[in-house]
Amino acid sequence: MANKHGDFIWYELLTDNTDLAQSFYGNVLDWEFNDSGQAEMDYTIITAKASADIGGMLQITPEMRAGGAQPIWLGYIAADDVDACIDRIITTGGTEIMPATDIPDVGRIAMLSDPQGALFYIMRGLSDETSLAFAADHPRDGHCAWNELMCSNPAGARSFYGKEFGWIKDGEMDMGPMGTYEFLRHDHMIGAIMPSPEAMPRPMWNYYFRVADIDIAVEKVKAGGGTILTGPGPIPGDEYTIQGLDPQGAAFSLVGQRKAGA
């Protein structure tokens, strides 16, 4: 595995309808899709056009639905040793949601939750190639640009993820009544932790995918049956973000420049 322990390496959408999800995200983010070739699961590979594979889509089965699965985006974090990582995470208050599983020709994965309940995967990949799913070196359209954790106890989350994955705090931004936005670094900036709104039902990871023009993307979200929850709002670097829901109810975020709009 080329990526180091603690890197974000893959993003996965659990959805009720992969066909509708492909239509929606393909239009908004210019993604392409291909079957994974895994005989035992309905899994679709997401490719940023003319670039690299950045994630996948998994159809929620009746069994998954009965177990509480709902449409959601999940991130994969690289682990040097999946089983040892699970043991440490459980010891520090996390929970094993899906036990360690080997995916043929892909690697070993497991789904966990942190002590506050935010879900994520860990993975030991078999590929010798560096994952470009998270654009750590420079901006890439269609790739994840930011990983943001919203939770009720940011200090506790920072301690948990820092201890296991080596993430460190690298600055902060005062958001007034919303609290403090704490930036995370893992050799490079990977994202941030922020206090969750009181109305949010549970802590969650929020992933920002990059678009070429935020205003055009907003119109595509609306035309495709998605919902804009916030934004476009300005952020440092002369960029804008939106948070929304796709037609199946999965939360997602976008970031990009404002080229055509006012």
Side-chain angles (χ1 to χ4, degrees), residues 37 95 157:
T95 303

Side-chain angles (χ1 to χ4, degrees), residues 41-90:
M41 67 173 70
D42 182 0
Y43 198 84
T44 302
I45 301 297
I46 301 170
T47 303
K49 193 171 183 180
S51 183
D53 295 342
I54 61 96
M57 290 185 182
L58 179 63
Q59 181 84 29
I60 297 176
T61 65
E63 292 76 18
M64 293 167 63
R65 174 66 71 177
Q70 297 179 350
I72 187 174
W73 277 100
L74 298 169
Y76 282 66
I77 304 171
D80 288 340
D81 183 319
V82 167
D83 298 273
C85 185
I86 291 172
D87 290 342
R88 290 192 300 268
I89 285 173
I90 291 174

Side-chain angles (χ1 to χ4, degrees), residues 236-260:
D238 195 28
E239 294 189 316
Y240 293 79
T241 63
I242 67 103
Q243 295 180 344
L245 298 175
D246 71 18
Q248 283 73 53
F252 70 98
S253 295
L254 303 176
V255 59
Q257 294 184 332
R258 172 166 277 175
K259 296 181 179 179

Side-chain angles (χ1 to χ4, degrees), residues 142-154:
H143 292 242
C144 185
W146 198 247
N147 306 281
E148 181 183 83
L149 175 63
M150 295 185 287
C151 63
S152 59
N153 182 1

Side-chain angles (χ1 to χ4, degrees), residues 208-254:
Y208 290 75
F209 298 102
R210 180 170 296 281
V211 294
D213 187 306
I214 196 70
D215 294 297
I216 292 175
V218 164
E219 294 308 311
K220 289 181 177 180
V221 168
K222 294 176 180 178
T227 303
I228 303 296
L229 299 176
T230 65
I235 61 171
D238 195 28
E239 294 189 316
Y240 293 79
T241 63
I242 67 103
Q243 295 180 344
L245 298 175
D246 71 18
Q248 283 73 53
F252 70 98
S253 295
L254 303 176

Side-chain angles (χ1 to χ4, degrees), residues 66-186:
Q70 297 179 350
I72 187 174
W73 277 100
L74 298 169
Y76 282 66
I77 304 171
D80 288 340
D81 183 319
V82 167
D83 298 273
C85 185
I86 291 172
D87 290 342
R88 290 192 300 268
I89 285 173
I90 291 174
T91 299
T92 53
T95 303
E96 182 183 75
I97 305 298
M98 184 189 81
T101 303
D102 290 314
I103 307 297
D105 302 319
V106 175
R108 188 166 178 80
I109 69 171
M111 185 192 294
L112 302 135
S113 70
D114 66 22
Q116 298 182 61
L119 298 172
F120 61 95
Y121 283 101
I122 57 173
M123 179 178 181
R124 170 72 182 186
L126 297 179
S127 173
D128 292 331
E129 296 183 5
T130 300
S131 168
L132 299 176
F134 174 62
D137 53 350
H138 65 270
R140 292 184 177 91
D141 291 346
H143 292 242
C144 185
W146 198 247
N147 306 281
E148 181 183 83
L149 175 63
M150 295 185 287
C151 63
S152 59
N153 182 1
R158 180 159 39 83
S159 175
F160 169 80
Y161 288 100
K163 182 176 181 180
E164 177 53 41
F165 297 116
W167 301 349
I168 62 172
K169 179 178 176 178
D170 187 7
E172 63 181 45
M173 181 173 63
D174 183 4
M175 299 190 299
M178 296 176 63
T180 301
Y181 197 76
E182 302 181 70
F183 299 103
L184 295 173
R185 177 175 290 275
H186 190 233

